[in-house]
Amino acid sequence: MGAQISVDGQIATVRGVRRLKGAPVMATDLRASMSLVLAGLGAEGQTIVNRVYHLDRGFERLEEKLSHCGALIERVRGD
């Protein structure tokens, strides 16, 4: 999405950018999933979040709720 991240042992250094860019991303747990969705909503372009089953376990009707806030979000079935 554009940020520069370097890891040294257990320390991650993140250098942000003025504007995130949409990208395909993969969710690994509930908190990471929601963070990626929010980052995608703030990014330029399209973000595709894979492995959203984490979100389904933690949030009910997430697409509907975010749409009420003005988000353009849809669920797309993968093959």
Side-chain angles (χ1 to χ4, degrees):
M1 299 185 91
Q4 300 297 316
I5 303 170
S6 60
V7 179
D8 183 19
Q10 294 187 351
I11 298 173
T13 303
V14 180
R15 294 181 188 262
V17 291
R18 291 191 183 272
R19 191 80 173 153
L20 294 173
K21 297 177 186 141
V25 294
M26 184 179 300
T28 56
D29 61 36
L30 180 59
R31 287 176 286 189
S33 302
M34 194 62 205
S35 297
L36 290 170
V37 168
L38 294 174
L41 288 172
E44 292 178 338
Q46 183 180 50
T47 297
I48 299 171
V49 182
N50 294 296
R51 295 177 60 183
V52 295
Y53 57 85
H54 298 291
L55 287 170
D56 293 336
R57 289 186 294 157
F59 296 96
E60 188 175 322
R61 299 183 340 267
L62 181 63
E63 300 94 317
E64 178 185 334
K65 291 174 183 176
L66 291 175
S67 294
H68 287 302
C69 296
L72 298 175
I73 187 169
E74 68 177 300
R75 184 177 294 254
V76 178
R77 280 204 170 274
D79 291 334

